Amino acid sequence: MAERMLQFVSLPQEMPEKRAASERREDFGEIYRAFAVDHAERQASRCSQCGVPFCSVHCPLGNNIPDWLKLTAENRLEEAYRLSSATNTFPEICGRICPQDRLCEGNCVIQKDFESVTIGAVEKFITETAFDQGWVKPRMPSRERAQSVGVVGAGPAGLAAAEWLRALGYQVHVYDRHDRIGGLMVYGIPSFKLEKHVLARRHELLEAQGIVFHLSTPIGEGEGGLSFEALREKHDAVFLGTGVYRSREVSVPGSGLGGVVQALDFLTASNRRGYHETPGDDAVLHARGKHVVVIGGGDTAMDCVRTSIRQGAEKVTCLYRRDRANMPGSVQEVENAEEEGVNFAWLAGPEAFLGDGSVSGVRAHKMRLSLPDASGRQSVEAVPESSFVIEADLVIKALGFDPEDLPGDWNAPELAVTKWGTLKVTPGRFETSVPGVFAGGDIVRGASLVVWAIRDGREAAAEMHQFLSGAESMTSDHAAQAVAAE
């Protein structure tokens, strides 16, 4: 049905209906309504079916995007879902939180004059339809293997590795220090971007597949934990997908004042309230009635400012040392935040946090950008005598995350790390300095995207299968073929 495609010349780009800012400020529900079937079909039909699909090339998972767009346009939705889930362990998550404007949609060949195909929204539509129709089933192994695999971390990398290894028949056990699966997706990402029932639904599928979860079980010598040595003794191979949780600091006077908090503490407390739990220091970690200043310009900062709005903050300001064009966060997230009432102080850096015991303001100075360096990145410098003060009862530091000291925390000095503290692995093989111990995701590449973590988990699973079975070297595509052949 070729006539169904290439409709970008006559059909404009449309996203699913976005709830009004005045409405979405009042709750934590996702901000986009669902596509109707005919709407999704029309948007999918805008695909040009180009010979070199840059959307797939720039997707870390290599998703077969033009093919499942064509199937969607032809209302062959079950086939579209089968194709989309063949390369993506969690399409319902990527369709919601991937920065499509920087990946697939940002590289769509029709974008320049006609705007890109709404790939993420169609992906979400396909997967939600599949769940509604009962097409989503756990990938059961065709035969069981006696070998056991331990996976540390129930974030996207660990879950992807676990799902692939279980499909190959291994006995898979997942360990996580938190009480729910998802890693930063469950406690670090607000529900208005990823509603938590989506993760709970996937948890049920993974358990039905036969994966065993050991939640509230940290690795290390602490109470209720399992030592790294004991973990290795229990399993024939281990995958480490712990992510990065150590918050970066800003070294300015007043950092120890009350009301100056880390982004992850603030977001975790908010997400726990969504589970009807009362976190400790509830008043400190709640924005109701406060003047909130968020330091940073990434997606975590956008999560904090938009959460503060929903909690009833009096005023919310994002303080970022570069300009709008150099924001590392999603352009769409910045637009959503502005619609919801967030103020942005561009080209401004914190100089000190003011207050007596508790924070009362942020003294900042104006910044200016220098000429680009060899990489094209512009450095920033403070403008002399440009200080100004922003009132603040709550300051949230959203400056990114670094890896924790796993060798020290786990009493595992044999676990080699890079100068950045990430785990060293053999390139392309994902094996650490400890034989039989593999790693992937943020703990290897540094703070990154969910979609890259899924890819690492998938490809590490292929290498672990080679290690455990003695098979020939396998790419992730070969791993998929092995699953299909089992």
Side-chain angles (χ1 to χ4, degrees):
M1 291 187 174
E3 69 277 5
R4 291 254 182 129
M5 307 309 292
L6 288 84
Q7 297 300 308
F8 63 90
V9 295
S10 57
L11 289 175
Q13 181 199 64
E14 291 183 19
M15 287 289 291
E17 180 188 356
K18 186 191 291 189
R19 297 164 60 209
S22 58
E23 176 188 343
R24 62 184 196 248
R25 284 167 55 105
E26 303 299 321
D27 61 47
F28 281 82
E30 292 183 9
I31 71 171
Y32 289 103
R33 304 190 193 279
F35 260 148
V37 174
D38 58 342
H39 198 125
E41 290 176 9
R42 288 198 303 271
Q43 288 301 300
S45 75
R46 297 182 70 248
C47 176
S48 68
Q49 298 287 288
C50 54
V52 180
F54 283 8
C55 56
S56 294
V57 171
H58 289 272
C59 172
L61 291 170
N63 287 336
N64 300 312
I65 295 168
D67 292 341
W68 52 254
L69 286 173
K70 186 174 187 293
L71 291 168
T72 301
E74 296 169 354
N75 198 24
R76 296 161 63 186
L77 299 181
E78 184 171 4
E79 293 171 80
Y81 165 71
R82 299 292 176 210
L83 193 59
S84 112
S85 61
T87 51
N88 190 349
T89 316
F90 313 117
E92 73 277 21
I93 293 171
C94 290
R96 286 171 162 87
I97 64 174
C98 260
Q100 288 94 6
D101 57 332
R102 305 205 306 263
L103 298 173
C104 54
E105 293 180 16
N107 290 281
C108 177
V109 298
I110 70 171
Q111 167 140 350
K112 182 178 179 182
D113 296 314
F114 295 94
E115 297 186 306
S116 65
V117 179
T118 51
I119 296 167
V122 173
E123 181 178 39
K124 175 185 172 183
F125 165 79
I126 292 169
T127 314
E128 289 306 312
T129 300
F131 274 105
D132 291 343
Q133 297 297 320
W135 300 335
V136 184
K137 305 290 184 184
R139 283 203 303 167
M140 305 304 296
S142 60
R143 69 182 179 92
E144 297 289 345
R145 301 174 189 266
Q147 290 156 301
S148 172
V149 175
V151 174
V152 182
L159 294 178
E163 202 258 6
W164 279 87
L165 289 164
R166 180 61 194 139
L168 287 164
Y170 295 103
Q171 310 307 306
V172 179
H173 293 253
V174 177
Y175 302 84
D176 197 277
R177 57 184 157 187
H178 295 299
D179 55 348
R180 294 179 175 88
I181 75 161
L184 286 176
M185 295 188 298
V186 69
Y187 288 132
I189 294 180
S191 293
F192 54 77
K193 288 171 62 176
L194 177 61
E195 291 183 351
K196 303 314 175 192
H197 74 87
V198 175
L199 295 169
R201 183 176 61 187
R202 181 58 65 173
H203 186 181
E204 292 175 0
L205 273 170
L206 295 172
E207 285 192 320
Q209 190 186 11
I211 296 171
V212 179
F213 288 92
H214 305 268
L215 302 179
S216 300
T217 305
I219 302 303
E221 305 293 341
E223 183 178 350
L226 181 69
S227 72
F228 183 59
E229 181 181 1
L231 176 76
R232 292 184 60 205
E233 291 175 353
K234 285 171 66 74
H235 301 289
D236 298 290
V238 171
F239 176 79
L240 306 180
T242 57
V244 292
Y245 281 83
R246 184 163 59 86
S247 298
R248 292 175 185 159
E249 282 292 345
V250 53
S251 299
V252 299
S255 292
L257 289 171
V260 179
V261 304
Q262 294 289 356
L264 187 55
D265 294 336
F266 175 72
L267 293 172
T268 298
S270 178
N271 279 307
R272 285 199 175 277
R273 291 187 202 100
Y275 287 113
H276 305 292
E277 300 174 10
T278 302
D281 298 325
D282 187 66
V284 174
L285 296 171
H286 203 292
R288 185 184 298 111
K290 296 178 181 178
H291 289 75
V292 179
V293 175
V294 176
I295 313 293
D299 285 340
T300 299
M302 296 305 99
D303 292 344
C304 290
V305 295
R306 298 180 65 201
T307 295
S308 298
I309 287 287
R310 284 158 175 77
Q311 290 184 355
E314 182 71 21
K315 183 178 180 181
V316 180
T317 302
C318 178
L319 192 71
Y320 182 56
R321 63 180 185 154
R322 298 180 185 272
D323 59 9
R324 185 190 188 101
N326 285 280
M327 285 279 283
S330 165
V331 172
Q332 194 172 62
E333 283 298 291
V334 175
E335 291 175 354
N336 289 333
E338 287 180 322
E339 291 172 359
E340 293 165 5
V342 175
N343 301 285
F344 284 84
W346 307 110
L347 289 168
E351 197 174 64
F353 302 136
L354 309 176
D356 183 11
S358 294
V359 69
S360 61
V362 176
R363 187 171 72 236
H365 43 227
K366 294 181 180 179
M367 310 293 289
R368 61 189 172 202
L369 297 171
S370 67
L371 293 173
D373 60 18
S375 68
R377 183 72 164 164
Q378 293 174 279
S379 61
V380 293
E381 59 184 13
V383 176
E385 299 181 1
S386 63
S387 295
F388 61 98
V389 175
I390 304 175
E391 182 181 357
D393 309 303
L394 175 63
V395 174
I396 303 171
K397 297 177 288 186
L399 301 166
F401 303 98
D402 288 320
E404 296 158 293
D405 178 16
L406 295 189
D409 294 346
W410 293 359
N411 191 28
E414 68 275 20
L415 205 54
V417 298
T418 69
K419 63 181 180 180
W420 300 282
T422 53
L423 291 180
K424 278 186 179 180
V425 297
T426 305
R429 296 298 302 271
F430 297 91
E431 191 167 18
T432 69
S433 57
V434 180
V437 177
F438 297 75
D442 288 2
I443 193 58
V444 171
R445 63 173 65 241
S448 187
L449 303 174
V450 166
V451 67
W452 280 110
I454 295 171
R455 171 174 167 164
D456 284 358
R458 182 182 75 181
E459 295 192 347
E463 295 300 327
M464 294 175 74
H465 178 57
Q466 175 197 351
F467 172 82
L468 291 165
S469 66
E472 294 180 359
S473 181
M474 300 170 63
T475 66
S476 55
D477 289 339
H478 293 152
Q481 294 168 12
V483 171
E486 284 295 325

